[in-house]
Amino acid sequence: MKITSLLIIGTFLTAVPVTAQNTQRQAPAGFDVANAGIPHGKIDSIQYPSKTVGVSRKALIYMPPGFKKGTKYPVLYLLHGIGGDEKEWYKNGTPQIILDNLYAQGKLTPMIVVLPNGRAMKDDRATGNIMAKDKVEAFANFEKDLLNDLIPYVEKKLPVKKNRENRAIAGLSMGGGQTLNFGLGNIDRFAWIGGFSSAPNTREPQKLLPDPSKAKDLKLLWISCGDADGLMPFSKRTHDYLAQNKIPHIFYIEPGGHDFKVWKNDLYIFSQLIFKPVDKSTFSDFTVLGLPAESNIRNAQYPQIMPNGKAIFRVKAPEAQKVQIDLGKKYDLTKDSDGIWKTTTDSLSEGFHYYSMVIDNVPVADPSSKSFYGMGRYASGIEVPFAGDGYYAIKDVPHGDLRIQNMFSKVTNSWRRVFIYTPPGYDKNTNESYPVLYILHGGGEDESGWAMQGKTNLIMDNLIAEGKAKPMIVVMPDANIGPAGFGSFGDRNLQLFDKEMKESVIPFAETNFRVKKDAANRALAGLSMGGIYTLHTGVQNYNLFSSLGVFSSGWILPSLQETADREYRFMTDNKSQINSSIKNFWISMGGKEDIAYKNGQVMMKKLDELGIKYTYSEYPGGHTWPVWRNNLYNFAQLLFR
């Protein structure tokens, strides 16, 4: 069909090359207000023959200021939502005004923008029941119409560049889902992809990108959503998949819901990035907001985690004089006129971090965060996701149970709480008995540590589902016994815990759960303080356990030198029995930054001198729960084989 006449206003503007790091992160006031004193582009209409639908279909086009037929331009295909048509962006999003203003500031590469009707059916108006099956299916059918009819027509009738590097696609809501579906499904056709508040029509990530490596050929993959948008999960699941597969992309979270205030801001920023060099190393720094941390209480929006690992904190304390966040490093918060204190941290390392909110020099728990027993008290915790955290994610696999029971201790003459993980099928497979791992927390923590901070149940569920670990019961007792502080590592406490294990914990497990009762099906492990208890109880009772796991531990020197010497003498006298009985003596550290690293190295050197067999593993991260989760993940795979 013939293109209607064009009235081009203004002169051609040359865009200044701008890379991603020079682009504003949010549109300024007035970005969408018409300015009479600048050159303007032109919105017009076209009709193109659609073999896919069997009729001529309409689309709008935007020509940049100074458009010249003799110049070839890149093309952006801009898609609407489920309740709109080819005029929705024009009426509600005013792309012509937004882009005109950007051209006047020299911030855009001159481009043609095509605004099609994404409902590929003969009656493509947004009337009647827009959720009717045939109308929804028409949005999927638009892929054929776009690729086989519209793009060929545009490239035949308009002065456009015809290679993928000069072809972009973006859209809002339903059009955002189309953008990701069509763009990622046809990476050979599009180099620039922008999904704005993508709707439920977005395919699952594994179907979007069965081979994630192909997305590395994209110039820009942009995914954005308002922080108050109920459709955020669809954008987040795509982002998570891309992050896990290390695919460069921008995950842009902005203030707002599911509306044109958000989408106009998206267009403002996305349009500045396309058809010019972009620095992919800046992508993770691009967003203005993050996602609520997994460790927040229900419906709490802060703290938020940004894609680059930085955390945003907010707290309302209008009467406070000073507020800080203590994450090991202290961050000062600044107060606004509403009495809300705010700060953004440096990038945090992966996984779990204890923290405190310090208000006028008093450390307190953040009311927006779940609390965890650690550091000898209840403290807030924040969970920082990372690309390799899938092994402790909740997945669609059979799940075991996390149980809490009270155990009467003959050693302390008191009731003590125990956490127990039972594997999937435990209550159904009543004729089956299971091996058991006893696992101990560190100093300043309690029996809830491995269950809550350690995510033991999720790690075990996933390992068992993948066939990487045998189904087992995991018993998590309270290792706090005797004097607290550094005294808890001394001889008296070691002996008390040894007695507690043999007279209370093991009998409790073997009486109340279907566990196998021989050494071949019994393992002991612990972190830090629990690692010292494991060293003593596990080695002294080598006939009770077939595997020992010592995480971030070792005899504390010089305070435990006499204790260590006695332990080494015992090992010398019983070397052959220890080596033959303990199938897996597994020692791990969190790298040189682990506070137990030097003690561990001294201990392993001594074990080498004594001829005690062990295996050493190292996972960087220091003396922290991310390290110990990884330790459990690897140690559990060795057990009961």
Side-chain angles (χ1 to χ4, degrees):
M1 297 296 292
K2 182 180 178 181
I3 302 176
T4 58
S5 60
L6 296 171
L7 174 61
I8 306 302
I9 304 173
T11 58
F12 178 77
L13 295 175
T14 302
V16 178
V18 182
T19 54
Q21 64 266 36
N22 302 122
T23 304
Q24 290 172 292
R25 300 306 196 252
Q26 278 188 287
F31 79 102
D32 56 349
V33 176
N35 187 341
I38 63 172
H40 296 279
K42 179 67 175 179
I43 286 280
D44 221 310
S45 63
I46 61 173
Q47 288 193 20
Y48 64 96
S50 172
K51 294 180 181 177
T52 301
V53 180
V55 296
S56 291
R57 307 197 68 230
K58 294 180 180 180
L60 296 186
I61 55 171
Y62 167 83
M63 300 295 197
F67 170 79
K68 295 180 180 179
K69 290 185 178 180
T71 300
K72 291 189 179 295
Y73 299 87
V75 186
L76 166 62
Y77 293 88
L78 190 58
L79 312 183
H80 60 82
I82 193 170
D85 56 22
E86 72 277 7
K87 296 180 181 179
E88 183 180 34
W89 267 105
Y90 173 67
K91 292 178 179 178
N92 302 307
T94 60
Q96 69 281 11
I97 295 175
I98 295 170
L99 300 180
D100 283 351
N101 290 339
L102 284 170
Y103 280 121
Q105 299 169 42
K107 292 183 176 180
L108 291 188
T109 297
M111 70 186 81
I112 290 174
V113 182
V114 179
L115 301 95
N117 186 319
R119 193 180 291 100
M121 60 191 302
K122 290 182 179 179
D123 179 7
D124 60 7
R125 298 301 93 193
T127 56
N129 180 10
I130 60 172
M131 298 298 295
K133 182 179 179 181
D134 60 337
K135 293 188 177 183
V136 173
E137 289 175 347
F139 279 95
N141 195 42
F142 179 64
E143 182 173 8
K144 295 179 182 177
D145 182 66
L146 173 67
L147 299 176
N148 301 330
D149 301 315
L150 178 56
I151 291 176
Y153 179 86
V154 168
E155 295 183 349
K156 181 179 179 181
K157 297 294 185 179
L158 297 176
V160 300
K161 297 177 181 179
K162 300 179 180 180
N163 58 341
R164 66 180 290 274
E165 288 73 18
N166 288 285
R167 195 180 296 124
I169 185 170
L172 66 89
S173 194
M174 178 68 84
Q178 287 177 305
T179 293
L180 296 180
N181 292 344
F182 306 164
L184 294 175
N186 298 277
I187 292 175
D188 59 326
R189 306 290 291 273
F190 301 97
W192 314 83
I193 299 173
F196 308 162
S197 306
S198 301
N201 61 317
T202 307
R203 295 180 188 130
E204 294 180 0
Q206 294 79 3
K207 295 180 180 178
L208 273 177
L209 273 175
D211 182 1
S213 64
K214 290 184 178 180
K216 294 180 179 180
D217 293 333
L218 292 170
K219 298 290 186 182
L220 172 63
L221 175 52
W222 163 286
I223 299 170
S224 60
C225 197
D227 66 333
D229 192 331
L231 295 183
M232 174 63 82
F234 297 99
S235 293
K236 183 180 182 297
R237 74 179 184 184
T238 304
H239 156 69
D240 289 343
Y241 180 77
L242 295 170
Q244 289 164 8
N245 288 282
K246 299 181 179 180
I247 302 302
H249 67 289
I250 291 175
F251 184 34
Y252 180 83
I253 306 167
E254 57 200 300
H258 198 74
D259 54 48
F260 267 98
K261 180 181 178 182
V262 167
W263 303 324
K264 288 198 287 186
N265 181 65
D266 293 338
L267 177 62
Y268 175 85
I269 301 171
F270 180 75
S271 63
Q272 295 181 63
L273 299 176
I274 58 178
F275 309 129
K276 64 181 64 169
V278 291
D279 183 357
K280 293 185 178 181
S281 68
T282 67
F283 282 5
S284 65
D285 297 322
F286 216 88
T287 186
V288 293
L289 292 178
L291 289 170
E294 173 198 319
S295 41
N296 290 4
I297 63 171
R298 187 184 300 273
N299 298 326
Q301 289 299 303
Y302 292 91
Q304 291 184 348
I305 305 296
M306 302 177 77
N308 58 10
K310 294 181 179 181
I312 305 172
F313 287 89
R314 300 279 191 276
V315 63
K316 189 167 185 177
E319 303 301 322
Q321 300 302 307
K322 182 179 181 180
V323 178
Q324 294 176 304
I325 293 294
D326 187 351
L327 272 156
K329 174 182 177 178
K330 289 185 177 179
Y331 296 89
D332 292 325
L333 282 70
T334 57
K335 184 168 69 170
D336 65 16
S337 58
D338 295 323
I340 297 175
W341 295 77
K342 308 174 184 178
T343 195
T344 300
T345 69
D346 302 324
S347 291
L348 304 176
S349 58
E350 65 188 52
F352 180 86
H353 298 259
Y354 292 116
Y355 76 94
S356 296
M357 190 165 280
V358 185
I359 300 180
D360 292 338
N361 297 316
V362 179
V364 296
D366 183 347
S368 296
S369 170
K370 295 176 184 175
S371 293
F372 303 84
Y373 190 80
M375 304 186 294
R377 61 181 175 83
Y378 276 97
S380 301
I382 187 168
E383 187 75 37
V384 180
F386 71 107
D389 63 5
Y391 68 91
Y392 57 75
I394 298 178
K395 298 180 180 179
D396 186 14
V397 299
H399 293 283
D401 290 326
L402 195 58
R403 308 172 189 228
I404 305 174
Q405 292 198 10
N406 292 314
M407 173 197 77
F408 187 80
S409 169
K410 298 177 182 178
V411 177
T412 64
N413 197 35
S414 64
W415 288 95
R416 289 163 66 75
R417 192 173 62 158
V418 184
F419 281 69
I420 306 100
Y421 167 80
T422 54
Y426 176 82
D427 289 326
K428 292 182 179 179
N429 305 326
T430 55
N431 293 322
E432 185 173 351
S433 295
Y434 297 86
V436 58
L437 165 64
Y438 298 88
I439 194 163
L440 314 176
H441 59 81
E445 294 166 341
D446 67 9
E447 65 279 6
S448 67
W450 273 109
M452 301 295 104
Q453 295 94 300
K455 295 183 179 286
T456 293
N457 58 320
L458 299 179
I459 292 172
M460 296 307 305
D461 285 346
N462 294 333
L463 283 174
I464 292 169
E466 295 171 15
K468 292 182 177 179
K470 295 193 70 173
M472 67 184 78
I473 288 172
V474 183
V475 176
M476 297 159 266
D478 185 356
N480 294 305
I481 193 167
F486 277 106
S488 63
F489 303 111
D491 286 344
R492 180 167 179 265
N493 282 37
L494 291 172
Q495 292 165 10
L496 281 173
F497 183 77
D498 182 285
K499 189 177 179 66
E500 171 91 328
M501 279 296 298
K502 290 186 290 188
E503 296 185 11
S504 297
V505 178
I506 292 176
F508 167 80
E510 295 184 349
T511 300
N512 292 278
F513 295 90
R514 299 191 312 277
V515 301
K516 296 179 179 179
K517 301 178 181 180
D518 59 319
N521 289 287
R522 199 183 289 129
L524 177 65
L527 68 91
S528 194
M529 179 190 79
I532 293 178
Y533 286 174
T534 297
L535 281 169
H536 174 78
T537 300
V539 172
Q540 293 283 335
N541 299 280
Y542 56 79
N543 60 326
L544 287 180
F545 305 99
S546 59
S547 295
L548 302 179
V550 179
F551 309 159
S552 294
S553 196
W555 301 108
I556 299 173
L557 304 177
S559 60
L560 293 183
Q561 186 65 65
E562 291 186 9
T563 300
D565 290 341
R566 281 195 294 274
E567 297 291 332
Y568 294 141
R569 285 196 294 271
F570 179 85
M571 291 182 187
T572 300
D573 294 340
N574 297 275
K575 179 177 69 173
S576 61
Q577 296 97 316
I578 293 170
N579 284 338
S580 61
S581 299
I582 300 176
K583 184 177 180 181
N584 299 298
F585 192 170
W586 199 80
I587 301 171
S588 62
M589 291 287 166
K592 292 184 179 180
E593 64 270 36
D594 192 327
I595 60 174
Y597 183 80
K598 289 183 179 179
N599 289 325
Q601 298 302 310
V602 170
M603 178 185 69
M604 288 186 289
K605 183 178 179 180
K606 186 65 177 179
L607 295 180
D608 290 337
E609 293 175 2
L610 298 178
I612 299 296
K613 297 178 182 178
Y614 67 91
T615 301
Y616 178 62
S617 177
E618 195 168 298
Y619 182 84
H623 206 71
T624 62
W625 274 107
V627 171
W628 304 324
R629 290 174 182 174
N630 187 268
N631 293 161
L632 174 59
Y633 172 76
N634 286 290
F635 182 62
Q637 296 182 56
L638 305 175
L639 302 180
F640 315 125
R641 299 292 186 180

